[in-house]
Amino acid sequence: MENWANRKTLILGRSEMIGLLKPHEYNDCVEQAYRMHGEGRFYMDPKGHIVLDRFPGEWEAMPSYIEEPHAAACKWVSIRERNREKYNLPTVFSILIYTDPETGFPLAIVDGSYHTVMRTGSAAAVSTKWMARKDSKKLAIIGAGHMAEGAIQTCNEVFKWSEVRVWSRGKETLDHFVKEMQPKFDHFEIKPSTDLEQTVRGADVVVTLTPARGPIVMADWISPGTHIAAVGADKKGDQELESRLLKGARIFVDDIRQCRTDGEINVPLSEGVITEADIAGEIGEVITGRKAGRTSDDEITIFDSTGIALQDSATVPLEYERAMAAGVGIEKKMIST
């Protein structure tokens, strides 16, 4: 019998998480999460929300277990809308606990924020791989915050883009994004814009990454054959796409239980514009071959990504392995026998 009495827990901050995995490895991990979801080889409930009237924002609790890799994790997400102006803290940040499934031992406690940026970007990238037209060349990213930084890096692993457009309301945000991200890419120029319609029109793939509480992407702007990864909506009332855009599209979700209340489909469902019968399926069913993704070059495909806990338990084992091999972080004895 293995003796765990002297095992320690690895603690990693944000700076130590950066660079442990390459963008294509995040894509592989997230695709594996969706595959396990499609095969039913997991345990996960929809994310839990704790909302207090006295503080604008919420907490989200995201536990999961995945069979392959054999792992369990729980992410605790804090969202506080006044953090920037009052406390010089991020609006959204998280802590991730990686646990050995058999013993329950906490193998690692790590910053979940950079991890989430990359695995969220991979949600868009994996959906693009499985649902976008194979001749896709033009990428539009709606939103220029941290999540967009993950999306451009992970989507770059899927297609060789000839044009990448990025939209934000603020020029300062766009300038910062281009300054940070353009040096990473030499085969395309990032084209920033504060004109949303101009950014979206003619794009082959559109990735939306905003906290919008009402439609900002209009149906008339979307060309036949476009793939949309709707990533921003992750709580009740969030919406980025005009509802009628969903009516004629082929829609897939990451987890229907979560998306019906938190995802891009939540508002159109509540409005009666679509019903659950209009949802083609979950992305895991496409990856496992149970359902077809895109069925024609003219079809508009939409992936509703709320971000599922399974993405965390599929990714953190490799991050932990790399960190241990590199000798980064602090090990601390957390469990007494």
Side-chain angles (χ1 to χ4, degrees), residues 32 65-72 98-103 107 313-314 317:
Q32 175 66 7
Y65 162 74
I66 188 169
E67 282 193 15
E68 207 177 305
H70 181 52
Y98 170 37
T99 307
D100 174 72
E102 183 176 0
T103 63
L107 296 168
S313 57

Side-chain angles (χ1 to χ4, degrees), residues 37-49:
H37 191 282
E39 294 179 0
R41 297 172 60 192
F42 71 99
Y43 181 88
M44 178 188 73
D45 286 328
K47 67 178 72 171
H49 300 271

Side-chain angles (χ1 to χ4, degrees), residues 27-77:
N27 289 353
D28 291 344
C29 291
V30 169
E31 184 169 316
Q32 175 66 7
Y34 293 151
R35 183 176 290 107
M36 290 292 98
H37 191 282
E39 294 179 0
R41 297 172 60 192
F42 71 99
Y43 181 88
M44 178 188 73
D45 286 328
K47 67 178 72 171
H49 300 271
I50 299 176
V51 181
L52 304 180
D53 291 339
R54 63 185 295 188
F55 303 122
E58 64 176 45
W59 286 293
E60 296 175 353
M62 301 177 65
S64 66
Y65 162 74
I66 188 169
E67 282 193 15
E68 207 177 305
H70 181 52
C74 183
K75 189 163 68 180
W76 181 246
V77 185

Side-chain angles (χ1 to χ4, degrees), residues 3 11 19 30 37 201 232 266 268 324-325:
N3 185 356
I11 301 173
V30 169
H37 191 282
R201 280 194 180 275
N266 89 88
M324 291 296 287

Side-chain angles (χ1 to χ4, degrees), residues 214-288:
I216 59 172
V217 176
M218 300 296 111
D220 291 341
W221 303 348
I222 301 298
S223 305
T226 303
H227 172 64
I228 303 172
V231 182
D234 66 353
K235 59 184 180 296
K236 186 176 181 180
D238 283 3
Q239 183 183 22
E240 297 182 286
L241 310 180
E242 186 179 9
S243 293
R244 68 186 180 95
L245 176 55
L246 281 73
K247 186 63 180 173
R250 185 163 174 81
I251 306 167
F252 287 90
V253 300
D254 52 16
D255 183 282
I256 187 60
R257 301 167 303 164
Q258 191 165 285
C259 286
R260 65 165 63 103
T261 57
D262 295 357
E264 186 62 41
I265 63 172
N266 89 88
V267 173
L269 283 174
S270 68
E271 294 173 339
V273 175
I274 61 171
T275 69
E276 285 197 30
D278 295 312
I279 311 303
E282 295 173 324
I283 191 171
E285 296 176 293
V286 178
I287 292 171
T288 57

Side-chain angles (χ1 to χ4, degrees), residues 63 90 186 198:
D186 57 12
Q198 184 183 66

